[in-house]
Amino acid sequence: MEKKPFVTKSQVEEIVRTYPTPFHLYDEKGIRENAKKVKEAFAWNPNFREYFAVKATPNPYILKILQEYDMGCDCSSYTELMLAKSCGFDGKHIMFSSNDTPAEEFAYADELGAIINLDDFTHIDFLEETIGHIPETISCRYNPGGVFELSNGIMDNPGDSKYGMTKDQLIEAYKILKSKGAKKFGVHAFLASNTVTNEYYPKLARELFELVVELKEKTGCDIAFVNLSGGVGIPYTPDKEPNDISVIGEGVHKAFDEVMVPAGLGDVAIYCEMGRFMLGPYGCLVTKAIHEKHIYKEYIGVDACAANLMRPAIYGAYHHITVLGKEDAPCDHTYDVTGSLCENCDKFAVDRQLPKIDMGDYLVIHDTGAHGFSMGYNYNGRLRSAELLLKEDGSVKMIRRAETPEDYFATFDCFDDIKIER
């Protein structure tokens, strides 16, 4: 599959007249089209809802686009809950997935009426002590242990994961929660990350559906929803075909009809919490070549760094790179594309075959729409870049300004009266 950027050289040249590189750019048209496809893929389930994983792209402008498609927010912290509330999401549209959660976060989630998804058996007592009751609607996270496999091999190792409860704990948790006043229940599981296969959700769904039937039989609880969480990935490398959400949705539908419907559970809602699939391909990091270095290898230095996109530095993750204006040029040069951090891992590409790069060329680093800007940081005093939205009409809107030195120094109490010099 050929990876083509959603922005052209001429568009970037116009954008940088107002917003200097580096910046993260999001494609409104692509986001909307993908949201429609997800809704259509699960339209067979009347109460389906995608709870977008806020951690992937915590920007109110993005959240409000998804809100237009009746999508919700999957939150994992106090500030993410605040963000969801500020965007106008009500409690039914907020899923709070607990994970080593402080008491004040449980309390705030309950105040908002969010659906609380408990990660551990001990959190039942902790939650009750914190808020003084057990909510009428509540969810629990399941971890089957062992290794999760599909036909194309091992996908992940739930047995090594810190998340979720064992089956025995889950059954006991449902009984206790029911005795404490819970009336509607959900079950949630996340077994593999960034799967580029249409098999993952259908297989996970079948396992959860079979679990739900067992839970219903052993606890008598009213199962309201099954949350498939995230894990539906994107092809970062150009040699892979993207997931087909319509095929995935139909695979889940088939498992639902074969397992849930015969058990009298045909009214159970399907939820998911996709972040990467929803936004990943619809964002990119735009940066400019500013230095070249010729020593034992050939290096291209750009004005972005791992503080803007840390996945390649910490995971060795591949992100495709397009040199704008040279899309059809031969990739006959081998480069390491680097940032300016005082760390040798600050490289967007290692031994990458690219066209000849000249100083001033603009590079598009693909697939940064999820877990891109949001994982940024201020190491070396580097400042986070702006986030821009390429609107459907071709105009560009700044949806988060770039950080300034004033922002960096704002949390120190000794700089109140100091003028920051430029």
Side-chain angles (χ1 to χ4, degrees), residues 78-110:
Y78 199 105
T79 46
E80 288 184 357
L81 287 168
M82 291 176 66
L83 180 57
K85 179 189 177 187
S86 72
C87 290
F89 290 91
D90 61 23
K92 291 181 180 178
H93 287 77
I94 302 174
M95 186 77 60
F96 181 61
S97 294
S98 114
N99 167 33
D100 191 24
T101 303
E104 60 268 21
E105 297 189 1
F106 274 135
Y108 189 48
D110 182 64

Side-chain angles (χ1 to χ4, degrees), residues 83-371:
L83 180 57
K85 179 189 177 187
S86 72
C87 290
F89 290 91
D90 61 23
K92 291 181 180 178
H93 287 77
I94 302 174
M95 186 77 60
F96 181 61
S97 294
S98 114
N99 167 33
D100 191 24
T101 303
E104 60 268 21
E105 297 189 1
F106 274 135
Y108 189 48
D110 182 64
E111 179 186 326
L112 297 180
I115 302 169
I116 294 175
N117 183 30
L118 294 176
D119 181 65
D120 186 63
F121 186 80
T122 64
H123 290 180
I124 298 173
D125 288 343
F126 186 82
L127 177 65
E128 187 175 34
E129 290 167 5
T130 297
I131 65 175
H133 67 279
I134 292 296
E136 288 193 359
T137 299
I138 197 158
S139 177
C140 291
R141 187 166 185 167
Y142 171 57
N143 184 332
V147 172
F148 186 76
E149 295 184 64
L150 294 174
S151 63
N152 55 345
I154 294 174
M155 303 306 294
D156 219 325
N157 187 353
D160 272 349
S161 170
K162 68 174 182 175
Y163 304 110
M165 308 181 198
T166 67
K167 183 191 287 189
D168 288 344
Q169 288 176 333
L170 198 68
I171 292 169
E172 187 63 21
Y174 272 46
K175 291 177 180 177
I176 293 171
L177 289 165
K178 184 179 180 183
S179 72
K180 292 179 179 291
K183 292 182 169 56
K184 292 187 178 295
F185 297 81
V187 62
H188 168 286
F190 177 85
L191 302 188
S193 179
N194 194 40
T195 61
V196 188
T197 167
N198 295 329
E199 291 182 57
Y200 172 61
Y201 253 12
K203 180 169 182 181
L204 169 63
R206 188 174 293 275
E207 290 192 17
L208 290 183
F209 295 160
E210 291 170 352
L211 173 67
V212 163
V213 172
E214 184 177 349
L215 287 169
K216 177 75 172 179
E217 292 172 351
K218 292 184 176 178
T219 68
C221 291
D222 180 5
I223 312 296
F225 64 85
V226 172
N227 189 335
L228 301 176
S229 188
V232 178
I234 62 173
Y236 286 98
T237 57
D239 60 325
K240 291 182 180 176
E241 288 296 320
N243 285 321
D244 186 332
I245 197 64
S246 64
V247 172
I248 291 171
E250 192 50 43
V252 175
H253 190 184
K254 183 174 186 292
F256 189 89
D257 284 350
E258 291 176 358
V259 179
M260 298 288 276
V261 173
L265 294 165
D267 59 347
V268 172
I270 302 299
Y271 295 162
C272 55
E273 298 167 354
M274 296 182 288
R276 199 184 316 260
F277 183 82
M278 296 301 304
L279 258 294
Y282 312 109
C284 63
L285 176 60
V286 180
T287 184
K288 183 168 68 173
I290 58 173
H291 289 290
E292 56 185 328
K293 185 171 185 175
H294 315 284
I295 50 172
Y296 307 106
K297 300 179 75 172
E298 297 294 302
Y299 294 94
I300 294 294
V302 296
D303 59 4
C305 66
N308 305 112
L309 177 65
M310 70 188 298
R311 295 186 74 254
I314 65 167
Y315 299 138
Y318 180 97
H319 280 263
H320 200 64
I321 294 175
T322 295
V323 183
L324 290 179
K326 298 181 178 179
E327 290 87 347
D328 297 324
C331 294
D332 53 4
H333 284 63
T334 303
Y335 295 116
D336 281 14
V337 180
T338 77
S340 58
L341 294 188
C342 295
E343 299 291 339
N344 197 44
C345 65
D346 182 19
K347 298 179 179 181
F348 295 112
V350 175
D351 295 329
R352 186 74 61 86
Q353 294 295 118
L354 292 166
K356 182 181 184 300
I357 297 176
D358 298 299
M359 296 306 91
D361 279 348
Y362 293 107
L363 279 63
V364 164
I365 303 176
H366 292 248
D367 300 319
T368 71
H371 310 288

